[in-house]
Amino acid sequence: MNPRKPPTAPPCTLFLFGASGDLVKRLLMPALYNLSRDGLLDRNLRIVGVDHNASDREGFVEHLYGFMRERDQAGDCAGKCLDEKRWARLAKCLDYQTGDFLDPETYAALAKRIDATRHGNAIFYLATAPRFFPEVAQRLGQAGLLDESAGGFRRVVVEKPFGTDLASAEALNACLLKVMGERQIYRIDHYLGKETVQNILVSRFSNGLFESFWNNHYIDHVQITAAETVGVETRGAFYDSTGALRDMVPNHLFQLLAMVAMEPPAAFAADAVRSEKAKVIGAVRPWSPTMALKNSVRGQYSAGKQGRKRLPGYRQEPNVAADSQTETYVALKVMIDNWRWAGVPFYLRTGKRMSVRDTEIVICFKPAPYAQFRQSALERPKPNFLRIQIQPDEGMAFAIQAKRPGPEVVVENVELGFAYKDYFNMTPATGYETLIYDCLTGDQTLFQRADNIENGWRAVQPFLQAWAKGGEVHEYPAGQDGPKAADDLLAKDKREWQPLGRNRS
């Protein structure tokens, strides 16, 4: 049975601020190509790159085409996927506007482009350095480009990082809301565009089996992991003033936590879903500074090896201070103070230069109340767990106990599950396709609302404040799974991290 094709998005002029940057060429343009390949873009869509670098339409098209060819030849899209005819059709939609983000003349030129269309629809995608977010938004408002009174829609997409702490996030929200309504703001988190992340909601709320045990009566704890094998590479200057906590926790990891822990929404609609997510993030217990230190671990990778490849330590990376105390790894214990999750700890960890690339959620259930098989080698069966694998190799697996064939009762741990690639036709994707399509069609379900953003920063603020006053940054060799102190964090609660990726065997 062929799935129903989604409707084509309405016509629009999509302005890409920061068009010369990596985000546009590495993620946004491939995503737009994939949407065009699938017939989801209107033939009257116009994509206009906006940047201070002097260029024109031909130069912009050639710049993007060169990267698409390199990407295709390198196999970054799981095989040859660049169709020259399809690219030629999409290239006709491309144009370029040279202009300073702080110059009113730039916005006057954009207004002329919108006026030249019949529909008047426009999306302004801020793929710029974060310092330009409020500047661009204010100037869009001053130029009247966010006014929808003439009938066309006007939307602004804001990339992360959305602030660097609670105060800056509140200030940025206030700035945006001065010039536009909340329904016009699309705060994007590319993790939410991944199929497996969206499937968390479907699995939870369309299967009665899950909902019956999705609470503190049956769940012992939850582990959420985002492990990367890469280091900071060329992002040293940015990363050294940011760190793993700010870079990953209030956005990516808390969004995964919200998907797991939220209450069933009244309807699968944007406001209903986002309200439940904001509630559960708002229920994260605010630790005191002392408890924040006790329930967190910071790590920084030192020189090590991945296979036979020698890797530098974080302080040896380009544009990183020689005495840097910035964390490249963080592990946290958080508690959600509501009826469903009272007493259930959520353990979060994320790090760079770890042994495997692995983003997953593990729901760890309480063990069976009585050990029936005392004569077996496994006197106390291991607890069951549900593993939701987000990347790579998207899928789900349920670990249960089973008897090994033979005359004796020998209990073993086995996993039942499915891989997305075995059931569905997984076409090459960047993770931005769904999010761009939703923005074009006006669906805000997968985008963060102001209260969700601020609740996330409010939850991590105690850790930021505690770390500013002290606390150790533990070293771990590159190619390993973080510092021993992270294992001790769970060992204090008589628990342990689930092994990652290939380490499971």
Side-chain angles (χ1 to χ4, degrees):
M1 180 178 178
N2 294 324
R4 182 181 67 86
K5 179 187 172 184
T8 300
C12 173
T13 305
L14 173 60
F15 295 99
L16 301 177
F17 284 77
S20 301
D22 277 359
L23 178 63
V24 170
K25 73 176 184 180
R26 291 185 181 278
L27 294 170
L28 301 187
M29 205 62 230
L32 286 163
Y33 172 84
N34 292 340
L35 289 171
S36 175
R37 173 200 66 197
D38 296 338
L40 298 179
L41 300 181
D42 189 270
R43 59 186 179 87
N44 291 315
L45 174 72
R46 293 294 176 265
I47 303 167
V48 181
V50 183
D51 217 327
H52 67 278
N53 296 332
S55 188
D56 54 17
R57 179 188 177 279
E58 289 72 23
F60 186 48
V61 171
E62 187 60 30
H63 167 70
L64 295 175
Y65 175 69
F67 177 78
M68 294 289 286
R69 282 290 305 273
E70 289 175 12
R71 174 177 177 267
D72 196 40
Q73 292 168 0
D76 290 348
C77 51
K80 300 294 182 184
C81 60
L82 181 63
D83 183 287
E84 297 289 345
K85 290 183 178 179
R86 287 197 179 104
W87 169 257
R89 285 196 293 270
L90 182 61
K92 292 178 180 178
C93 302
L94 297 174
D95 208 340
Y96 190 84
Q97 177 68 52
T98 302
D100 189 317
F101 299 154
L102 307 184
D103 185 354
E105 290 300 317
T106 300
Y107 301 89
L110 303 188
K112 290 179 181 178
R113 289 179 180 272
I114 298 172
D115 291 341
T117 68
R118 293 182 178 181
H119 48 74
N121 298 329
I123 294 174
F124 306 95
Y125 197 119
L126 308 190
T128 68
R131 69 180 184 276
F132 289 115
F133 294 168
E135 300 286 357
V136 173
Q138 287 178 30
R139 284 162 177 75
L140 288 170
Q142 292 165 1
L145 295 178
L146 302 178
D147 183 5
E148 298 181 318
S149 60
F153 64 71
R154 304 294 168 88
R155 298 166 187 157
V156 175
V157 183
V158 184
E159 272 284 345
K160 82 171 189 74
F162 199 95
T164 57
D165 55 18
L166 178 58
S168 59
E170 289 176 332
L172 180 52
N173 275 327
C175 176
L176 297 178
L177 291 168
K178 280 184 181 178
V179 294
M180 70 190 100
E182 178 64 48
R183 62 180 180 77
Q184 294 176 274
I185 306 171
Y186 289 70
R187 302 172 188 83
I188 197 166
D189 185 337
H190 71 269
Y191 264 46
L192 299 188
K194 299 180 184 298
E195 290 291 345
T196 320
V197 174
Q198 298 172 60
N199 191 50
I200 296 171
L201 295 184
V202 175
S203 297
R204 276 196 62 191
F205 301 131
S206 65
N207 294 296
L209 168 70
F210 288 146
E211 187 57 28
S212 61
F213 56 66
W214 211 264
N215 54 60
N216 56 5
H217 296 295
Y218 299 99
I219 294 176
D220 178 77
H221 69 283
V222 177
Q223 299 180 17
I224 302 176
T225 298
E228 300 179 280
T229 55
V230 298
V232 296
E233 300 178 330
T234 60
R235 300 171 69 226
F238 162 78
Y239 201 88
D240 208 34
S241 62
T242 303
L245 181 72
R246 286 185 171 94
D247 191 40
M248 294 291 291
V249 176
N251 38 66
H252 298 331
L253 295 194
F254 271 14
Q255 284 303 296
L256 298 182
L257 181 148
M259 292 283 203
V260 169
M262 64 186 278
E263 293 297 316
F268 197 72
D271 282 342
V273 172
R274 298 199 299 174
S275 291
E276 295 303 334
K277 288 166 66 177
K279 286 178 188 176
V280 76
I281 298 298
V284 172
R285 183 182 302 171
W287 294 122
S288 67
T290 300
M291 291 299 291
L293 281 179
K294 183 179 178 181
N295 290 297
S296 65
V297 172
R298 287 182 291 170
Q300 184 185 95
Y301 65 83
S302 56
K305 292 198 321 184
Q306 198 142 46
R308 296 183 178 181
K309 183 180 180 181
R310 293 192 175 278
L311 301 170
Y314 174 70
R315 295 179 184 179
Q316 287 76 57
E317 299 280 16
N319 301 314
V320 171
D323 59 349
S324 175
Q325 292 294 298
T326 299
E327 79 282 355
T328 62
Y329 176 98
V330 61
L332 307 176
K333 174 184 175 181
V334 301
M335 305 295 293
I336 298 175
D337 291 333
N338 64 16
W339 190 276
R340 182 185 293 267
W341 298 109
V344 177
F346 284 69
Y347 299 103
L348 283 56
R349 62 174 165 171
T350 182
K352 291 189 174 296
R353 286 288 188 226
M354 295 175 71
S355 65
V356 292
R357 175 173 172 258
D358 190 1
T359 302
E360 65 178 30
I361 301 166
V362 182
I363 313 296
C364 300
F365 296 94
K366 293 181 178 180
Y370 179 68
Q372 295 280 2
F373 308 105
R374 295 190 180 278
Q375 74 276 24
S376 73
L378 186 63
E379 183 173 310
R380 185 68 169 175
K382 294 182 180 180
N384 305 124
F385 62 82
L386 173 66
R387 187 188 309 279
I388 304 170
Q389 188 75 36
I390 295 167
Q391 64 180 13
D393 304 324
E394 298 91 337
M396 299 176 69
F398 211 144
I400 64 169
Q401 308 304 315
K403 177 187 174 295
R404 180 193 290 176
E408 294 183 325
V409 177
V410 178
V411 180
E412 286 217 0
N413 199 53
V414 299
E415 291 193 13
L416 312 175
F418 84 94
Y420 259 75
K421 62 183 180 181
D422 293 339
Y423 285 82
F424 304 107
N425 180 22
M426 301 289 286
T427 54
T430 69
Y432 274 84
E433 288 82 1
T434 296
L435 299 173
I436 293 174
Y437 177 78
D438 285 352
C439 188
L440 289 167
T441 57
D443 185 350
Q444 290 185 301
T445 304
L446 297 177
F447 296 84
Q448 298 198 62
R449 207 167 56 188
D451 53 353
N452 200 328
I453 289 278
E454 291 174 13
N455 284 345
W457 279 114
R458 193 171 287 112
V460 303
Q461 197 67 27
F463 299 105
L464 291 173
Q465 293 171 346
W467 293 353
K469 296 177 181 178
E472 184 178 357
V473 180
H474 303 268
E475 284 193 3
Y476 64 98
Q480 301 297 315
D481 287 338
K484 180 181 180 299
D487 297 329
D488 297 340
L489 179 67
L490 270 68
K492 289 186 298 186
D493 297 339
K494 295 182 171 56
R495 299 183 176 100
E496 61 183 8
W497 293 109
Q498 286 288 316
L500 298 178
R502 62 172 178 265
N503 301 326
R504 289 177 196 136
S505 58

